[in-house]
Amino acid sequence: MRMQLAIFLMLALFMAGLPFLALYGGTALLTGSGSPVTKTEQGEKDTPPPPTEPSLPEEGQTPGETVFRIADRETGEVSEVSASEFILGAIAAEMPPTFHLEALKAQGLAAYTYALKCQQQRGEGDGPDFVADPASALGYLTVAQMQERYGDQFEEYYAKLKEAAQAVAGKVIVYEKEPIVAAWHAISSGRTESAENVWSGGAAYLAPVDSSFDQNAPEFSTAVTFTAEEARDRIARGYPTITLQEDEGDWFSVVSRTESGNVQEILVGDHLLTGAQVRSLFGLRSANFGVLWEDGEFCFDVAGYGHDVGLSQYGADYLARQGMSCEEIIQYYYTGVEIVDESTLND
């Protein structure tokens, strides 16, 4: 059972769309999941060294709190990060500080629960609990990196993020008294997805729920186009044994969709692929897509952003602005869960 759970945990966060867990030197890589930040914000351009001003808030560990051993993906250096530091940094990495406070709390609670699950699955040993890349806003941010990112608004945003982190510190999301795989994504395609339709495993708490209000999110609908030659090249690189028909209009045919609307099976040439495979092949924002051959191009119309499982970040922000609390948001997106004090886990 433990092995099956570990495999599910690995696969559950390996899929594109964020949080995901990838193998990195035999250790879990904890990153974002289609976080609603821009590529520039994610560190894809050169940035100056972190600031050295003495005005940075102090970071430290509260006696008795959980400590994570986190390896830096770029440097390999392993740091010990207290739970309070991690929750604060995870919220900063995953959500814009302009989101509602209750949504920020929900993100912090989900991120901490997931990190704790990673730590539990790793078990005893000297290795890190997981790998992150704070320089690229993957996993968590340090206070210095927050200051660099937020600039003149650092003090305002830091205070808000710290309030959110402190509100959920020491809390864990559980199902049947065990911490959950608290998957999240940026924007639902309208209804969240069952985990078993995305990964080779499932969980009762990762069940579909309505999130149609995500349609109000910026860039809910996107379109990507490819020429026939570009599409042929991608297919050949990814699946060299696929044979394509002479008529380009016959290259793609959706066979089935899940109840949530994501492509489940799609014929590509003479091969049956999953929607997730085609999503990865063409770099689409989600597996909820349609494809049309028109005017010499393939156009992929895509809804949402991410794997669609668990908490929707933009959905959480919407629900918070409608008056839902952090606890209500968590219990909305994770079916049948409870929020408990971490100290009760071993009772």
Side-chain angles (χ1 to χ4, degrees):
M1 180 65 180
R2 180 181 177 86
M3 179 61 71
Q4 290 176 334
L5 185 57
I7 292 172
F8 170 61
L9 180 65
M10 180 185 74
L11 292 172
L13 305 185
F14 180 75
M15 301 295 295
L18 266 144
F20 70 83
L21 187 66
L23 293 182
Y24 180 79
T27 305
L29 168 61
L30 185 68
T31 77
S33 63
S35 174
V37 295
T38 65
K39 289 185 178 180
T40 298
E41 288 174 319
Q42 288 177 330
E44 293 191 3
K45 67 175 185 178
D46 292 336
T47 54
T52 57
E53 288 82 3
S55 59
L56 291 175
E58 293 184 2
E59 299 175 87
Q61 178 185 353
T62 301
E65 73 174 321
T66 298
V67 174
F68 296 113
R69 288 176 52 81
I70 307 177
D72 189 301
R73 184 174 65 176
E74 295 299 318
T75 67
E77 180 181 353
V78 177
S79 302
E80 290 193 351
V81 179
S82 69
S84 54
E85 288 178 78
F86 174 76
I87 296 171
L88 175 64
I91 299 172
E94 283 296 327
M95 271 190 175
T98 53
F99 271 29
H100 194 283
L101 181 64
E102 295 302 308
L104 296 173
K105 292 179 186 178
Q107 178 64 70
L109 187 51
Y112 179 67
T113 299
Y114 176 59
L116 191 64
K117 191 72 170 180
C118 286
Q119 186 181 67
Q120 289 183 348
Q121 288 302 305
R122 181 185 66 82
E124 299 295 329
D126 296 330
D129 296 316
F130 48 82
V131 177
D133 186 1
S136 300
L138 299 177
Y140 77 104
L141 293 177
T142 66
V143 174
Q145 288 160 343
M146 292 179 217
Q147 188 180 54
E148 183 179 340
R149 171 179 282 199
Y150 301 142
D152 293 341
Q153 294 175 292
F154 168 75
E155 290 188 8
E156 174 192 354
Y157 288 161
Y158 179 84
K160 185 176 180 181
L161 295 170
K162 186 174 182 180
E163 180 181 356
Q166 290 179 332
V168 298
K171 304 290 186 180
V172 183
I173 310 167
V174 300
Y175 182 81
E176 296 183 346
K177 300 183 179 181
E178 291 291 333
I180 70 169
V181 178
W184 68 85
H185 57 282
I187 306 171
S188 164
S189 58
R191 182 174 175 80
T192 64
E193 187 58 88
S194 173
E196 63 186 2
N197 289 331
V198 179
W199 305 305
S200 60
Y205 53 82
L206 294 176
V209 299
D210 175 67
S211 199
S212 54
F213 33 82
D214 281 26
Q215 295 176 38
N216 299 314
E219 296 187 311
F220 169 80
S221 298
T222 54
V224 184
T225 59
F226 299 90
T227 66
E229 191 60 32
E230 289 170 338
R232 186 193 298 274
D233 287 346
R234 286 189 178 234
I235 294 168
R237 288 198 303 270
Y239 300 92
T241 60
I242 287 180
T243 298
L244 297 173
Q245 293 87 343
E246 184 176 344
D247 185 346
E248 290 90 343
D250 295 330
W251 287 7
F252 299 95
S253 179
V254 174
V255 175
S256 62
R257 292 182 181 270
T258 68
E259 292 184 6
S260 297
N262 290 295
V263 174
Q264 194 163 35
E265 295 179 314
I266 178 171
L267 271 173
V268 180
D270 61 351
H271 278 50
L272 189 65
L273 301 182
T274 67
Q277 288 172 321
V278 172
R279 178 195 174 193
S280 177
L281 188 63
F282 288 94
L284 309 178
R285 283 163 59 101
S286 87
N288 192 324
F289 62 85
V291 57
L292 179 67
W293 170 251
E294 190 174 48
D295 299 328
E297 290 184 323
F298 290 103
C299 180
F300 290 86
D301 292 310
V302 187
Y305 187 14
H307 49 56
D308 247 7
V309 179
L311 179 141
S312 162
Q313 293 174 318
Y314 272 93
D317 185 52
Y318 174 87
L319 293 176
R321 295 179 190 280
Q322 306 313 303
M324 272 198 184
S325 67
C326 162
E327 292 78 8
E328 290 171 325
I329 293 168
I330 290 296
Q331 292 177 326
Y332 182 83
Y333 279 112
Y334 303 114
T335 304
V337 302
E338 296 180 278
I339 299 170
V340 302
D341 289 336
E342 184 180 353
S343 60
T344 69
L345 290 181
N346 296 322
D347 290 350

